[in-house]
Amino acid sequence: MSVPIGEWQWNKSTQRLTLSLVPPSLERLLSGDWALDDLSNVLDGLSRQRLRNGLETPDGDVALELVTAEGSIVHLAGGAVDDYWSRGVILSVGESTGAAEDSVVELLPVFQPILCLRSHRVEGFEALARWEGEKGAQTPVGDMQGLASSMLIHAAESLVGFRKTARNPNLFVQVNITSLDLEGDELIDLISALQSGHKFAPGSIRLELTEQDALRDTQQTLNRLHDLKAAGAGIVLDDFGSGHSSFLWLADLPADALKVDASLIQQLDNPRVETILEALTLMARRLGMTSTAEGVEDEAIMPLLRTLGFDHAQGFALGRPMSVSKAEAFLSA
Ligand code: G
Ligand code: MN
């Protein structure tokens, strides 16, 4: 699980990095006031120069992944506060299992664009997990503990780059979570840390979940979602209109957006489905939510989606899930 585990501070004039970490094993290894030469000796493959480049970026933003010689992975997130100091939070991504080194599997977040139906511009991305393994890119199967945390950290870092590339500080990124991620306080702590570390406005990071995922304990889920919203996350209700969603769910939910399931969008040639979709987007708007059409495989339906009241569209016709660099190229195009 990834959680905030400490703070860092970089002094540009003395060129020293102060790390304070909470977990005893890392506290012993990393806490202290470091010269970069000394720090690079306890890290796996990060030279003094690369550390410095990471801490003194042209725009002041810091998003550094450190791997200790023992294989622990920590992230520094944050940025410059003035000409002399940068600071931020330290996040733990956990222990490296060695699996990645054996080139068996590696987490590879990919990003699928979400387009505004009015402007036809990209307004955000859904981050999707892919494992790059021997058989090529695969979707992970089942509930992977810690996956959401890792995705959130990567997605937040990527969002900083996307915003710069697009010169659009309002871009958002959506990450899928499951009921497991809603147990405990880790997700709330992580969102708070990412929000303050990256200085994001509320709603920059949005969490997608399905009603199916939240059904285990409705009251508990609602409490958590309110806390997550208070911490700065946007809430998106995923796959609405497929098997397991009810209107009761919408009555209590503090959601910002409704994603209408691809199975409905792909039956647009049925006039009755059109009527249902129009009513759904109206209901979403009255409840203070935007609505997104998922699974758009034919660009020709875009004007109709807009007429039916959708705000956003996502699907293979508008952009496949793509790597960070392809997503940046897509934004520039
Ligand atoms: O459940 P969720 O809405 O998070 O689904 C995301 C999945 O849908 C991803 O695996 C993504 O690759 C897939 N997807 C995205 N756009 C399309 C599309 O236009 N058609 C189909 N069939 N799948 C899509
Ligand atoms: Mn989703």
Side-chain angles (χ1 to χ4, degrees):
M1 260 334 249
S2 159
V3 284
I5 52 164
E7 293 175 338
W8 62 270
Q9 188 163 280
W10 167 246
N11 183 327
K12 197 171 171 182
S13 47
T14 63
Q15 295 277 297
R16 292 181 84 86
L17 179 66
T18 310
L19 301 175
S20 36
L21 291 99
V22 177
S25 56
L26 289 170
E27 206 279 318
R28 239 172 291 129
L29 181 71
L30 287 176
S31 280
D33 188 22
W34 292 92
L36 296 188
D37 267 333
D38 297 332
L39 182 60
S40 74
N41 288 334
V42 301
L43 297 177
D44 187 19
L46 256 192
S47 67
R48 181 178 66 97
Q49 194 52 44
R50 284 186 54 206
L51 271 170
R52 208 167 105 202
N53 291 345
L55 290 164
E56 289 183 10
T57 58
D59 51 31
D61 291 334
V62 174
L64 259 182
E65 181 175 278
L66 310 182
V67 183
T68 69
E70 284 80 19
S72 297
I73 304 170
V74 300
H75 271 249
L76 308 194
V81 290
D82 58 31
D83 288 347
Y84 305 101
W85 293 96
S86 299
R87 61 173 65 102
V89 289
I90 304 176
L91 302 162
S92 155
V93 191
E95 302 291 317
S96 157
T97 57
E101 281 94 286
D102 298 342
S103 80
V104 181
V105 280
E106 189 184 350
L107 176 66
L108 183 85
V110 288
F111 295 87
Q112 185 174 30
I114 299 171
L115 269 71
C116 171
L117 280 162
R118 283 170 184 277
S119 65
H120 288 244
R121 283 173 181 274
V122 180
E123 293 203 335
F125 289 92
E126 179 175 359
L128 296 157
R130 295 284 183 276
W131 300 94
E132 191 67 78
E134 282 158 354
K135 296 180 202 127
Q138 296 169 350
T139 306
V141 184
D143 282 335
M144 307 281 304
Q145 230 197 342
L147 175 63
S149 312
S150 172
M151 289 294 291
L152 276 164
I153 291 169
H154 281 104
E157 285 177 9
S158 303
L159 180 61
V160 174
F162 293 156
R163 286 178 164 184
K164 234 165 276 161
T165 303
R167 292 202 198 86
N168 177 0
N170 300 318
L171 284 179
F172 56 81
V173 71
Q174 303 192 168
V175 174
N176 294 282
I177 61 165
T178 70
S179 58
L180 271 185
D181 301 311
L182 289 174
E183 290 170 11
D185 292 330
E186 278 100 340
L187 189 60
I188 293 163
D189 292 342
L190 178 59
I191 291 290
S192 304
L194 291 171
Q195 285 292 119
S196 60
H198 289 295
K199 301 186 215 86
F200 283 152
S204 299
I205 301 173
R206 300 171 166 207
L207 304 172
E208 291 193 10
L209 86 164
T210 63
E211 185 182 28
Q212 178 82 345
D213 281 326
L215 272 177
R216 294 193 191 178
D217 183 341
T218 315
Q219 196 50 52
Q220 167 85 339
T221 299
L222 289 177
N223 292 343
R224 292 264 185 248
L225 292 179
H226 280 285
D227 291 347
L228 284 164
K229 237 182 122 77
I235 305 293
V236 179
L237 188 47
D238 204 1
D239 297 342
F240 194 83
S242 68
H244 299 278
S245 36
S246 75
F247 291 101
L248 257 187
W249 168 238
L250 283 178
D252 294 326
L253 199 81
D256 302 284
L258 187 69
K259 285 184 95 171
V260 178
D261 195 67
S263 54
L264 276 170
I265 303 300
Q266 284 158 9
Q267 285 185 49
L268 257 189
D269 43 8
N270 177 347
R272 296 175 68 91
V273 171
E274 247 183 63
T275 305
I276 290 168
L277 292 175
E278 193 169 21
L280 267 182
T281 63
L282 178 64
M283 180 187 65
R285 179 159 307 130
R286 293 266 173 94
L287 292 172
M289 300 179 229
T290 59
S291 39
T292 304
E294 287 187 294
V296 176
E297 294 184 355
D298 177 4
E299 226 175 326
I301 68 169
M302 298 273 280
L304 179 54
L305 289 174
R306 192 182 157 184
T307 305
L308 293 175
F310 282 97
D311 301 287
H312 294 109
Q314 177 183 352
F316 290 164
L318 312 175
R320 296 240 162 201
M322 51 190 120
S323 66
V324 175
S325 56
K326 290 214 173 102
E328 296 204 336
F330 190 88
L331 283 169
S332 309

